[in-house]
Amino acid sequence: QVQLVESGGGLVQAGGSLRLSCAASGRAFSSYTMGWFRQAPGKEREFVATIRWNGGSRDYADSVKGRSTISTDNAKNTVYLQMNSLKPEDTAVYYCAAGRGMLLTSRSTEYGYWGQGTQVTVSS
């Protein structure tokens, strides 16, 4: 049973930084693609970043490109999303997702496993 547990969210002022973590368990994730998505109140869930666990290929949404870095730690079975220069429009619940044996994708429907989410609030 795949389990994804996010942490690291919180309240931060605009211009600040946060590092989100996603602890993954229940599988060997070397063949998985991992993603971060977010959902703001009243809006649809949107893609943030994605990475191939084994190989490191990654992609970002234009809205966070240059401000965020997605990475994996094999020893800790954890995926990270480092976010810098945060803006109020980054306020959302952030979700970690996993999909087996696929290419990088921003399509949420391609990911079969999801965490419960962690709240990020950026004050102006």
Side-chain angles (χ1 to χ4, degrees):
Q1 184 78 14
V2 172
Q3 188 172 18
L4 304 173
V5 180
E6 302 96 333
S7 62
L11 174 64
V12 63
Q13 288 189 333
S17 299
L18 281 176
R19 188 178 76 161
L20 306 184
S21 300
C22 171
S25 61
R27 290 285 192 279
F29 287 91
S30 59
S31 64
Y32 277 67
T33 293
M34 307 299 293
W36 283 98
F37 291 77
R38 67 187 182 186
Q39 188 166 17
K43 296 188 176 181
E44 293 187 354
R45 190 170 296 188
E46 65 174 5
F47 165 72
V48 177
T50 180
I51 187 170
R52 285 285 294 166
W53 193 291
N54 190 13
S57 300
R58 63 199 76 187
D59 194 17
Y60 300 91
D62 288 343
S63 58
V64 303
K65 197 172 292 184
R67 301 189 294 123
S68 298
T69 302
I70 187 171
S71 61
T72 59
D73 185 327
N74 288 337
K76 296 182 179 180
N77 243 26
T78 299
V79 183
Y80 300 102
L81 181 68
Q82 175 70 42
M83 298 189 296
N84 303 319
S85 302
L86 284 162
K87 306 174 182 179
E89 51 264 43
D90 294 317
T91 295
V93 177
Y94 283 71
Y95 296 91
C96 177
R100 182 181 176 186
M102 63 185 193
L103 301 176
L104 296 179
T105 178
S106 61
R107 298 176 61 180
S108 60
T109 53
E110 299 293 325
Y111 293 84
Y113 304 98
W114 292 83
Q116 294 299 306
T118 185
Q119 176 71 48
V120 171
T121 303
V122 184
S123 63
S124 57

